[in-house]
Amino acid sequence: MQNSNSSAGTTDDSSIQPIVNSSADIEANPMLAEVPEYVMCSAIWYGDLETQNLLPFNKANGIVLCGWRHGNIISQMKALTDLRTVKNGMASVGEYEQGFLTNKNRFVSREEGGQIAFKAGQTKELKTYLFSEDVW
């Protein structure tokens, strides 16, 4: 996607601001507000990477990648950037957190994901630390 200030096929990234969807968007739409929150997919938040548009509304920086399993996301990161999903060392991504994306456009930790999945009926028992294999 190009910025409207770009010319000749180049993009001026300095003027791009992240689009952060707010919880007000959900509250403003009665149909969305009525749907209980549930876990949609595995996600990893990479906090030290360049901020991208369309982040979950509770993340103001970095990038969130989603996938079926966390291992799939780790493989995507390596294939796309040649960075390893580790905090330190050569070719590391820096700060990151494994969690989940919900239907309310929130990135949640594995702990909160366990509570949400149980409340939504996605797991039969409360998980204190959710794995994608617990849900699908």
Side-chain angles (χ1 to χ4, degrees):
M1 174 177 14
Q2 286 188 341
N3 185 320
S4 60
N5 296 332
S6 66
S7 62
T10 62
T11 305
D12 177 12
D13 289 337
S14 64
S15 65
I16 296 175
Q17 297 297 316
I19 299 169
V20 181
N21 299 325
S22 71
S23 59
D25 294 338
I26 293 169
E27 293 166 6
N29 184 333
M31 289 179 61
L32 290 177
E34 291 174 11
V35 176
E37 188 169 34
Y38 61 87
V39 171
M40 282 193 347
C41 60
S42 300
I44 301 178
W45 170 67
Y46 294 96
D48 287 343
L49 297 184
E50 182 178 340
T51 299
Q52 300 297 313
N53 289 329
L54 300 174
L55 287 169
F57 75 81
N58 61 334
K59 291 295 183 186
N61 65 299
I63 184 171
V64 175
L65 294 182
C66 300
W68 184 52
R69 303 253 191 258
H70 292 96
N72 298 111
I73 301 166
I74 292 167
S75 294
Q76 290 172 25
M77 176 56 72
K78 178 73 172 149
L80 293 171
T81 66
D82 208 29
L83 295 175
R84 298 178 312 128
T85 301
V86 295
K87 292 185 181 186
N88 301 305
M90 292 182 55
S92 69
V93 295
E95 182 183 11
Y96 74 93
E97 180 183 1
Q98 293 186 10
F100 297 89
L101 190 65
T102 75
N103 64 315
K104 303 288 185 180
N105 194 31
R106 286 193 325 122
F107 175 88
V108 297
S109 67
R110 287 182 178 272
E111 294 83 3
E112 187 177 1
Q115 295 169 5
I116 292 168
F118 180 69
K119 187 175 179 183
Q122 292 177 284
T123 60
K124 293 182 181 183
E125 56 189 50
L126 179 61
K127 302 289 184 177
T128 57
Y129 195 83
L130 189 68
F131 291 90
S132 57
E133 292 86 350
D134 296 325
V135 183
W136 48 82

